[in-house]
Amino acid sequence: MQEWHVSAEVATLLIALFVAGYCVGPLLWGPLSEQYGRRPIFLLSFFGYTCMMVGSALAPNTGALLAFRFLSGTFAACPLANSGALIADVWDAGTRGKAMAIFALAPFAGPALGPIVGGYMQVAGVHWRWLFWVLTMFAGVCLVFIYFTLPETYGPIILAKKAARKREQTGDVRYYAPIERLSTTWKSRINNVLGRPFKILFTEPMLIAITLYMSFLYGCIYLLFEAFPIVFTVGHHMNAGASGLMYLPLFGGGTFAALVTLFYFNPRYQRYMAEYSPNPVPPERRLEMACIGGPMIVIAFFWFGWTSFPEISFWAPMMSASFLGCSVILIFLALMNYIVDAYLRVAASALAASTVVRSLFGAGFPLFANQMYEKLNPRWASTLLGLIALLMVPIPFVLIKFGPALRAKSKYAPTAAPR
């Protein structure tokens, strides 16, 4: 803003356009991973992301930086869209909950820890381009880890490679994998890449409800990037570094929720596996965490809003973020596991559709957050968010009651109803 003399709204676009890239990316990376495998798509997308970070660091003007931010988000969307499906490839239903808990915490750590790093870099007087060089270094390290540690995990592609080896070894062309016999015209591929995620989304009431709930919460996380500075930087006169520290309880609450999942909910799910054996556990059993997290997030919004007066200690609104972090992880884990369990065969496409809509909310919320918190003040703005969250609390309860009947009618989630 200072160097290029741009408005606050244009500066906010640097967040919004990055998250808008999450809308485009999943449309490509989810279905492409089901056509060509997980490994090549992860490597391609993360290499592209690393290059876009270099582009952001070297951007000569505002337009170039905005373009690189959008492309960065497009490439960065691959882990968001495909990691749930990759986890489903590797781990069975009993272990998947542990893996998903660790995975959910990692992308949640970024929004919590990023403002601290960025804030203290600003306090130290480092040029803004160094933000992107730090991100480039981190992306490069991640790319190396992906190259050396991530094998191909998608079953149909593994079979296709095995069949190709057999043909080469024996000269017998009768060896083939089912995926090799699928239609491979460009029209069918484009339909699978761009059409399938939305076809699944718009024909599945369960997925629509889950996606709306997750999208609202995701938007609220990005909205905090604008709301926290109003409460802590303006209201409590903190510098950018100290204001960034206010996000730590968000990460702490998320960590607590992940630990509760690992040591309480996952063993409980394994008992369900024994109870329902030899049949799969109904996906509705995953929703218990969302039933707890839903009321918690309503409390968190009211707590943050009505303790945001400058004369009240900053500890009060700061600690409300712990409730927010805990509840978001509980809800996200429950709903992501539900999507994977219910739509196992097309999990990457179902998660991609959900990620696209979620990212629209994440991109849009920061654009009006500043105006909303200034016009309504933090008390009533947070109350409004709390009331919307309250309206969404019944979603997991409704799915527990009516989910089996909806799945019985579904084309994409033909899981057996619970006993």
Side-chain angles (χ1 to χ4, degrees):
M1 287 171 66
Q2 291 170 4
E3 187 172 326
W4 287 341
H5 308 291
V6 296
S7 67
E9 286 73 21
V10 172
T12 304
L13 282 175
L14 293 173
I15 297 174
L17 282 176
F18 182 85
V19 185
Y22 289 177
C23 304
V24 179
L27 294 176
L28 300 172
W29 312 127
L32 279 174
S33 76
E34 292 170 347
Q35 296 252 324
Y36 300 103
R38 314 290 191 211
R39 178 177 165 83
I41 300 303
F42 264 94
L43 286 170
L44 171 68
S45 63
F46 229 85
F47 176 75
Y49 171 68
T50 307
C51 292
M52 292 308 109
M53 286 292 103
V54 175
S56 298
L58 299 174
N61 53 51
T62 310
L65 183 56
L66 291 173
F68 281 124
R69 288 295 287 162
F70 174 73
L71 291 170
S72 299
T74 302
F75 284 106
C78 179
L80 285 176
N82 289 1
S83 293
L86 187 145
I87 286 168
D89 292 341
V90 176
W91 286 283
D92 62 15
T95 321
R96 193 184 304 143
K98 293 180 183 177
M100 198 71 90
I102 296 166
F103 159 69
L105 187 60
F108 197 75
L113 301 179
I116 301 172
V117 177
Y120 277 109
M121 286 178 76
Q122 183 185 333
V123 170
V126 174
H127 195 275
W128 63 263
R129 292 185 188 274
W130 269 101
L131 284 169
F132 295 108
W133 287 123
V134 169
L135 288 168
T136 302
M137 294 172 204
F138 186 69
V141 171
C142 290
L143 181 59
V144 171
F145 268 99
I146 290 170
Y147 182 83
F148 286 107
T149 64
L150 183 69
E152 182 53 63
T153 63
Y154 189 48
I157 295 296
I158 294 172
L159 274 180
K161 289 182 176 180
K162 189 174 182 181
R165 283 197 303 272
K166 281 285 187 183
R167 288 195 297 269
E168 191 178 330
Q169 290 165 1
T170 64
D172 190 342
V173 295
R174 292 177 297 174
Y175 286 105
Y176 67 90
I179 198 170
E180 295 176 291
R181 292 296 175 96
L182 296 175
S183 171
T184 54
T185 65
W186 278 108
K187 185 178 179 182
S188 67
R189 286 185 179 185
I190 290 170
N191 181 56
N192 279 343
V193 169
L194 297 178
R196 187 199 284 175
F198 289 108
K199 200 180 294 180
I200 295 170
L201 177 64
F202 291 129
T203 57
E204 294 292 319
M206 298 179 296
L207 193 57
I208 290 171
I210 289 168
T211 298
L212 282 174
Y213 200 3
M214 292 175 78
S215 298
F216 171 72
L217 298 183
Y218 194 72
C220 288
I221 294 297
Y222 281 89
L223 183 141
L224 292 181
F225 289 144
E226 300 297 322
F228 268 41
I230 291 171
V231 172
F232 296 110
T233 308
V234 178
H236 289 278
H237 310 293
M238 294 180 177
N239 64 33
S243 186
L245 290 173
M246 299 300 105
Y247 293 87
L248 273 179
L250 190 71
F251 181 55
T255 303
F256 176 76
L259 291 172
V260 170
T261 303
L262 287 171
F263 296 109
Y264 177 74
F265 284 107
N266 204 67
R268 184 182 173 90
Y269 186 81
Q270 288 174 327
R271 290 196 293 272
Y272 287 142
M273 288 180 70
E275 178 187 336
Y276 284 92
S277 181
N279 298 315
V281 179
E284 286 72 28
R285 289 294 192 183
R286 296 283 195 186
L287 296 173
E288 294 170 338
M289 293 190 297
C291 296
I292 297 168
M296 282 180 67
I297 203 160
V298 177
I299 294 168
F301 280 126
F302 282 98
W303 179 356
F304 176 73
W306 292 98
T307 58
S308 62
F309 292 97
E311 54 268 25
I312 295 176
S313 169
F314 69 85
W315 282 94
M318 183 182 84
M319 293 313 295
S320 70
S322 62
F323 247 55
L324 187 66
C326 182
S327 56
V328 168
I329 288 289
L330 288 175
I331 295 167
F332 263 59
L333 276 176
L335 299 184
M336 284 183 72
N337 276 311
Y338 183 85
I339 290 173
V340 172
D341 284 4
Y343 299 97
L344 189 59
R345 187 168 50 87
V346 289
S349 290
L351 287 168
S354 178
T355 303
V356 168
V357 179
R358 198 166 77 223
S359 302
L360 284 171
F361 279 66
F365 273 44
L367 296 177
F368 63 77
N370 206 42
Q371 292 88 335
M372 183 175 83
Y373 267 78
E374 284 180 354
K375 296 283 185 189
L376 295 179
N377 75 45
R379 271 71 63 195
W380 289 108
S382 300
T383 299
L384 176 61
L385 295 174
L387 292 172
I388 296 171
L390 184 63
L391 291 175
M392 295 188 173
V393 167
I395 288 174
F397 295 94
V398 171
L399 284 175
I400 288 171
K401 185 170 178 61
F402 298 106
L406 289 169
R407 285 188 291 109
K409 298 174 184 176
S410 170
K411 178 182 174 184
Y412 300 102
T415 315
R419 295 178 299 180

